[in-house]
Amino acid sequence: MKKINCVLLVDDNPGDIYFNTIILEEAGICENIKTANDGEQALLYLTKTREFGQEQSFPKPDMIFLDINMPRMNGFEFLRQFEKLDENLKTKVIILLTTSDDPEEKKEALALENVKEYITKPLDDTIINELLEKYFNNN
């Protein structure tokens, strides 16, 4: 299976970050797994690091797994700021990965241009493989 370069996990729960990192590592689908504790850190990852020529340490994510309920800047606030970024900084595949199964929240999320999927936790290798096949043509 062809690997993607980088996945960015954005979640305030250290246990979820740890679990999802292990799932991604075991799936072997990417070269780099990066993390951010909230939307603010994720935006800094996508923008500020590029200003200092640190692309090697901070590769552009091919896919972002984004939690909704986080302190400082939640997933929806992140997405509103993400919309304003230059196209070259944007990630093409954003997956909301959340504990919420609220139908209204899901509807709101999927109406956003940059959100490709709304998945309730936990992440597993079946979901990962389906996402890769759907968005990166890894047949």
Side-chain angles (χ1 to χ4, degrees), residues 2-136:
K2 180 184 164 201
K3 291 184 179 186
I4 59 176
N5 185 43
C6 183
V7 170
L8 177 62
L9 295 171
V10 185
D11 199 314
D12 64 316
N13 184 319
D16 286 343
I17 289 282
Y18 178 76
F19 176 79
N20 290 328
T21 299
I22 289 172
I23 295 296
L24 288 166
E25 285 173 347
E26 288 178 354
I29 58 109
C30 61
E31 298 293 331
N32 299 283
I33 301 168
K34 301 295 183 174
T35 63
N37 295 322
D38 58 40
E40 197 171 287
Q41 279 189 358
L43 282 174
L44 284 172
Y45 181 94
L46 294 173
T47 59
K48 297 299 181 193
T49 55
R50 304 279 178 300
E51 292 177 7
F52 302 109
Q54 297 183 29
E55 291 86 355
Q56 297 293 350
S57 299
F58 300 91
K60 182 179 177 182
D62 298 299
M63 184 177 347
I64 296 175
F65 287 101
L66 178 67
D67 190 19
I68 294 174
N69 299 309
M70 297 178 287
R72 293 196 324 167
M73 181 184 284
N74 69 34
F76 286 112
E77 292 166 333
F78 167 83
L79 290 165
R80 283 192 285 278
Q81 295 302 313
F82 182 86
E83 293 286 329
K84 300 174 187 176
L85 294 177
D86 289 339
E87 286 301 314
N88 65 326
L89 297 176
K90 290 185 178 181
T91 298
K92 301 292 185 222
V93 179
I94 297 178
I95 310 297
L96 288 183
L97 182 62
T98 182
T99 56
S100 174
D101 61 358
D102 178 354
E104 288 302 311
E105 196 169 66
K106 183 176 183 176
K107 183 178 175 183
E108 178 185 355
L110 292 174
L112 297 170
E113 177 182 346
N114 293 297
V115 175
K116 301 297 184 196
E117 304 279 343
Y118 185 101
I119 298 171
T120 53
K121 294 177 184 177
L123 188 60
D124 64 36
D125 59 344
T126 301
I127 293 169
I128 292 169
N129 289 326
E130 287 172 0
L131 293 171
L132 282 180
E133 186 174 319
K134 186 172 184 178
Y135 296 107
F136 299 98

